[in-house]
Amino acid sequence: MYVIGLTGGIGTGKSTVAAFLEKQGATILNADQIGHEVYVPGRPAFHELVEAFGREIIGEDGNIDRKKLGGIVFSDPKQMTRLNSVVHPRMKGIMREKLQDLARSGTAIAVIEAAILFEARWDDLADEVWVTSAPPEIAAQRVAERSALSLEQVKKRIKSQMSDEKRVSRANAVIDTSGDMESTITNAREKWDDLQRRLAST
């Protein structure tokens, strides 16, 4: 099985490219969805998080109340680092399990879709990394149009992420998503076709 790591900042069309790859037959592992799994009672991270942040983060239903946890970590960079040190390795473990299951089931190509692929050190799970790239102004405009956030709020979020340049410098393939959806799909198709040629020749 061949694994693509797909990453990119907010508003750079990662989901569009992931949807295209899924249509081509790739299986998508979405990091956001996997992130929800680590908070489930019974998972190792559940106990680690309660130990780290206290029982007050548990809601009335017995699950971790992510709003309460968010209130603790978003206002304190040290607490955010603490949270990530628990969650990111556990997420990596789940991803590794899922990739092994997919390989056993005969999946040909899997895609790890993750905005923080490099920051969380998940890139070593992939055979190669693709990055979606668009100028910050375009990315910010897209996010502001589809969310309740102001343009300034979005720009702050983009600045807090790893820069586009850093991601691009570490990527095996870069998909220019600065145009419309049609041109993004065309650029993604070029990378997909190139991958198919390379895999066919090995």
Side-chain angles (χ1 to χ4, degrees):
M1 184 176 75
Y2 201 81
V3 182
I4 300 167
L6 176 64
T7 190
I10 56 171
T12 62
K14 220 173 27 280
S15 299
T16 299
V17 172
F20 165 77
L21 294 175
E22 190 168 33
K23 280 183 181 173
Q24 307 316 301
T27 299
I28 311 296
L29 293 182
N30 182 286
D32 289 340
Q33 291 171 3
I34 291 169
H36 289 289
E37 292 184 33
V38 301
Y39 291 90
V40 173
R43 281 282 188 177
F46 180 88
H47 304 290
E48 289 178 43
L49 290 170
V50 172
E51 203 171 289
F53 298 102
R55 295 198 64 81
E56 61 267 26
I57 66 168
I58 301 177
E60 290 178 12
D61 60 358
N63 293 306
I64 287 175
D65 185 325
R66 304 210 22 191
K67 280 189 179 175
K68 285 182 183 174
L69 183 58
I72 296 169
V73 301
F74 285 119
S75 58
D76 186 340
K78 282 184 181 176
Q79 294 284 48
M80 179 62 85
T81 300
R82 193 178 189 187
L83 173 68
N84 290 341
S85 71
V86 173
V87 171
H88 289 172
R90 293 300 185 184
M91 287 177 69
K92 190 172 190 176
I94 293 173
M95 286 178 196
R96 191 177 278 115
E97 287 171 19
K98 288 182 183 290
L99 288 170
Q100 287 167 351
D101 289 344
L102 289 173
R104 279 193 290 268
S105 70
T107 299
I109 296 178
V111 177
I112 301 169
E113 180 192 351
I116 55 169
L117 189 80
F118 290 126
E119 297 93 321
R121 298 179 182 173
W122 299 331
D123 51 307
D124 61 359
L125 293 174
D127 295 295
E128 63 180 70
V129 175
W130 294 11
V131 167
T132 53
S133 176
E137 315 79 57
I138 292 175
Q141 192 66 48
R142 286 174 181 165
V143 177
E145 284 172 4
R146 72 181 187 217
S147 71
L149 299 171
S150 70
L151 198 56
E152 287 310 308
Q153 286 174 313
V154 178
K155 284 179 179 176
K156 275 186 184 175
R157 289 199 178 190
I158 289 174
K159 276 187 180 175
S160 72
Q161 297 178 333
M162 178 183 280
S163 72
D164 208 42
E165 291 77 14
K166 272 190 183 175
R167 284 198 193 90
V168 166
S169 72
R170 295 176 63 178
N172 301 98
V174 179
I175 300 170
D176 178 5
T177 62
S178 58
D180 59 15
M181 189 177 288
E182 193 177 334
S183 67
T184 292
I185 296 299
T186 298
N187 294 335
R189 189 180 298 281
E190 284 175 6
K191 298 295 184 288
W192 176 261
D193 291 346
D194 175 63
L195 175 62
Q196 296 307 306
R197 283 190 292 271
R198 285 187 282 120
L199 292 177
S201 65
T202 55

